[in-house]
């Protein structure tokens, strides 16, 4: 993780504040303020549940209004998101209860009024989920044979992990979550600094970090390469992908939903995880950023993600013949058109690939932002979601001293980019460590490029002056390049989203040897 001198803990302070303010504006106020008003509502109880080791978990239980004590209902357990209180899901919980579910939502340990420390989906969090199920079965009319879990963000990860460790969980809806924690915030051996700063800041404001978590954040931001192996082991322990065999053995029905522009948990790791699942499964990907697709549903407003979540549970917990099992299991929305597309599996999303040759030899200087970057956490992808305005850059004005640029020919027909763009190139560095960030742009007639995708790559231990190969997968997306436009690949060394590891004065040369040509491979949907 490079030089300890690069410490970037404040890049997402504004995003933290905006997130918390947004939560308040949406009515997601602290449980202490909401309890008196909500406790009078029919079927709602605010309770304390003893979690692992006796830790108090603040929770609310919502039961169907027609409960007369003579029957059992399917149970859905909802762990809260990172930094949000126990009333987060109350609108959805009441909707589910009205359709015949017992719903128990609880504040995960370490946040708000729940006890303990933030463990980042560690063993205590997994044990807590089972304790909540135990409580529900003992204290509500919940059916032990019809248990589901769902959650947004942090709650999504905990739900998947719980399903791997508790066979009672028959179905999961994991919304804007993670399958591989390291591939989410440390992809390409590069710290996603804005995302991690958001989590760190929100955790400090709304909860109590464990000593272990404080140490992890310290080593992460300090770029302590000596701690890299420890960091990866810590993250893998908290990654549902590590336990995919258990989920498959349990036969859990898993629905995954995420956004193309998720700057906390990029979609690649969810798509990879989806392909490894062997039980009933569904993958939904839409334009937006982290949790932005689900947000209106928390207010009880019509929302596609929450509607499909209810349908998923209706089929797998109630045996409802609602047709969700007969639909194409992979459902995508293009960032350009807004219409849904269905596919039988993730591999079918990409029908063909088009290569753009990265010919010639180009040398750039490091340590300077060329003007090409991935934008700002939340803000950029939300603008893309609501107004189709992703981060932009002028190709003619990008300084070639600090950015390498290659462009395709003009396309005579629209190019429907679907899936994961792959970069292969040869790099020669004047230093043993460094970071490159690759960007794919849709370039219009005036040379203005709209960001299609990006991803970082960091290297360590290379011999200065010796060429080495780099293979990099950009973040998966669905984007339509209009006829008459070009695609451009830009590579530079600095991006506000990431911590860079380029020593002062470093230079990077990109070449395309005859025996190993450089290229970018763009995934395309069948026309």
């Amino acid at each position: 993780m490079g030089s300890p001198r690069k410490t970037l803990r404040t890049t997402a302070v504004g995003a933290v504040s905006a997130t918390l303010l947004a939560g308040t504006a949406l009515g997601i106020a602290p449980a202490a303020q909401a309890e008196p008003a909500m406790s009078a509502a029919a079927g709602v109880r605010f309770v304390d549940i003893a979690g692992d080791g006796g830790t108090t978990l603040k929770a609310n239980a919502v039961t169907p209004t027609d409960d007369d004590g003579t029957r059992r209902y399917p149970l859905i357990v909802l762990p809260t998101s990172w930094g949000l209180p126990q009333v987060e899901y109350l609108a959805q919980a009441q909707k589910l209860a009205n359709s015949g579910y017992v719903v128990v939502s609880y504040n995960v340990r370490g946040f708000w009024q729940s006890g303990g420390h933030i463990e980042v989906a560690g063993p205590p969090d997994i044990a807590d989920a089972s304790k909540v199920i135990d409580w529900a079965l003992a204290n509500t009319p919940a059916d032990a044979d019809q248990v589901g879990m769902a959650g947004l963000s942090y709650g999504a990860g905990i739900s998947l992990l719980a399903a791997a460790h508790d066979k009672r969980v028959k179905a999961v809806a994991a919304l804007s979550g993670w399958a591989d924690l390291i591939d989410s915030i440390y992809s390409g051996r590069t710290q996603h600094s804005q995302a991690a700063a958001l989590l760190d800041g929100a955790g400090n404001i709304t909860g109590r970090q464990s000593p272990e978590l404080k140490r992890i954040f310290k080593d992460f931001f300090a770029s302590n390469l000596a701690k890299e192996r420890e960091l990866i082991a810590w993250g893998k322990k908290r990654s549902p992908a590590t336990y995919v065999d258990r989920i498959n053995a349990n036969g859990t029905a898993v629905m995954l939903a995420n956004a193309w522009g998720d700057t906390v948990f990029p979609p690649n790791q969810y798509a990879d995880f989806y392909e490894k699942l062997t039980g009933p499964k569904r993958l939904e990907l839409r334009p937006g950023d982290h949790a932005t697709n689900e947000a209106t549903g928390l207010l009880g407003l019509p929302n596609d993600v929450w509607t499909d979540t209810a349908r998923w549970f209706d089929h797998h917990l109630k045996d409802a013949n609602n047709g969700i099992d007969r639909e194409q299991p992979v459902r995508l929305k293009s960032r350009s058109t807004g219409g849904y597309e269905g596919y039988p599996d993730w591999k079918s999303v990409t029908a063909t690939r088009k290569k753009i040759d990265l010919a010639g030899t180009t040398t750039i200087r490091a340590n300077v932002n060329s003007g090409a970057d991935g934008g700002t956490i939340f803000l950029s992808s939300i603008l893309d979601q609501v107004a189709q305005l992703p981060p932009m850059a002028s190709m003619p004005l990008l300084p070639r001293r600090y950015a390498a640029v290659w462009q395709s020919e003009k396309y005579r027909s629209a190019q429907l980019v679907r899936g994961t763009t792959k970069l292969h190139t040869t790099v020669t560095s004047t230093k043993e460590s460094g970071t490159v960030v690759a960007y794919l742009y849709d370039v219009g007639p005036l040379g203005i490029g709209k960001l299609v995708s990006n991803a970082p790559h960091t290297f360590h231990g290379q011999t200065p002056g010796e060429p080495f190969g780099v293979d990099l997968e950009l973040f998966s997306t669905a984007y339509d390049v209009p006829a008459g436009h070009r695609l451009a690949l830009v590579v530079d060394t600095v991006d506000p989203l990431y911590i860079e590891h380029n020593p002062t004065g470093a230079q990077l040369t990109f070449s395309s040897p005859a025996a190993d040509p450089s290229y970018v491979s763009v995934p395309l949907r069948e026309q």
Side-chain angles (χ1 to χ4, degrees), residues 88-131:
E88 174 187 6
Y89 303 115
L90 198 53
Q92 285 299 323
Q94 290 177 318
K95 280 189 172 186
L96 289 165
N98 289 340
S99 65
Y101 292 92
V102 171
V103 185
V104 179
S105 174
Y106 71 96
N107 227 134
V108 292
R109 65 171 53 224
F111 286 102
W112 294 101
Q113 294 172 307
S114 286
H117 292 87
I118 303 170
E119 301 288 346
V120 195
D125 291 303
I126 299 170
D128 284 346
S130 292
K131 292 287 187 180

Side-chain angles (χ1 to χ4, degrees), residues 74 99 101 146 310-326:
S99 65
Y101 292 92
Q146 296 174 307
R311 294 175 64 226
W312 188 251
F313 285 132
D314 285 349
H315 179 73
H316 292 286
L317 298 183
K318 291 183 176 181
D319 294 324
N321 185 20
N322 57 15
I324 198 169
D325 58 318
R326 297 187 293 276

Side-chain angles (χ1 to χ4, degrees), residues 6-42:
K6 301 184 191 294
T7 310
L8 299 177
R9 299 184 68 101
T10 59
T11 54
V13 171
V16 173
S17 302
T19 301
L20 295 174
L21 288 172
T24 303
L26 289 173
I28 307 170
Q33 297 174 12
E35 266 185 55
M38 294 297 182
S39 59

Side-chain angles (χ1 to χ4, degrees), residues 496-514:
L497 290 173
Y498 315 113
I499 291 179
E500 51 99 359
H501 300 261
N502 297 292
T504 301
Q507 296 185 41
L508 302 173
T509 297
F510 301 91
S511 58
S512 183

Side-chain angles (χ1 to χ4, degrees), residues 149-214:
M149 288 190 68
L152 181 60
S153 186
Y154 194 37
I158 291 175
S159 295
L160 287 171
L161 288 163
H165 291 82
D166 193 325
K167 294 181 180 180
R168 295 176 295 180
V169 181
K170 304 301 183 185
V172 168
L175 317 179
S176 288
W178 78 92
D180 188 326
L181 190 57
I182 293 300
D183 197 40
S184 295
I185 62 173
Y186 190 55
S187 69
R189 296 184 77 183
T190 310
Q191 298 100 315
H192 295 212
S193 56
Q194 287 191 16
L198 171 68
L199 298 174
D200 187 17
N204 276 315
I205 294 170
T206 63
R208 301 166 300 282
Q209 295 186 5
S210 68
E212 180 187 37
L213 179 56
K214 290 179 180 179

